Amino acid sequence: MDRVALRGLKARGHHGVFPKEREEGQTFIVDLVLGLDTRPAAAADDLTKTVHYGVVAEEVVEVVQGEPVDLIETLAERIAQKCLKHEGVEEVEVVVHKPDAPITVPFDDVTITITRSRV
């Protein structure tokens, strides 16, 4: 399985369990690794035979900017399901970063990582 990775997709969303998170929103960062067979695209040098990562990036941003959820686990699942709708994408690893999480001690980042597949 080949991999196409998108790193550091940024979007503002209103996800979280606290009212302040829902009202003010915050930046979320998403990393993706899409698993697919790129040989047909490479052999034909044809974008239509692979995943259009520009379209995927736009869709992921739409999910982050869309309907609020309480948990980043739920957000990651929605992103994964959106990615798997693309023909040829057999699996996806999604990392959602919440660098501005409401934590009272110093920290660098909070992430959730999930892997989903068609199987």
Side-chain angles (χ1 to χ4, degrees), residues 9 30 32 55-65 79 83:
L9 297 171
V30 178
L32 300 174
V55 170
V56 172
E58 291 171 359
E59 291 175 352
V60 168
V61 166
E62 287 174 5
V63 172
V64 174
Q65 293 174 339
I79 292 168
C83 292

Side-chain angles (χ1 to χ4, degrees), residues 7-108:
R7 307 259 188 234
L9 297 171
K10 294 179 184 175
R12 189 157 187 84
H14 293 264
H15 311 289
V17 296
F18 298 113
K20 184 176 179 181
E21 293 178 292
R22 291 295 183 103
E23 292 165 11
E24 296 179 11
Q26 60 193 292
T27 299
F28 292 85
I29 302 166
V30 178
D31 302 323
L32 300 174
V33 179
L34 307 170
L36 64 153
D37 183 356
T38 63
R39 289 175 292 192
D45 198 27
D46 185 351
L47 177 61
T48 66
K49 297 183 183 299
T50 189
V51 64
H52 191 309
Y53 51 79
V55 170
V56 172
E58 291 171 359
E59 291 175 352
V60 168
V61 166
E62 287 174 5
V63 172
V64 174
Q65 293 174 339
E67 180 185 349
V69 297
D70 288 343
L71 304 176
I72 59 173
E73 291 87 343
T74 307
L75 182 59
E77 185 67 33
R78 287 183 177 180
I79 292 168
Q81 294 309 314
K82 180 66 81 170
C83 292
L84 288 171
K85 288 183 179 179
H86 286 268
E87 186 176 338
V89 175
E90 295 296 323
E91 67 181 30
V92 62
E93 178 184 273
V94 178
V95 181
V96 175
H97 300 258
K98 189 175 180 181
D100 298 321
I103 297 175
T104 60
V105 298
F107 73 103
D108 289 330

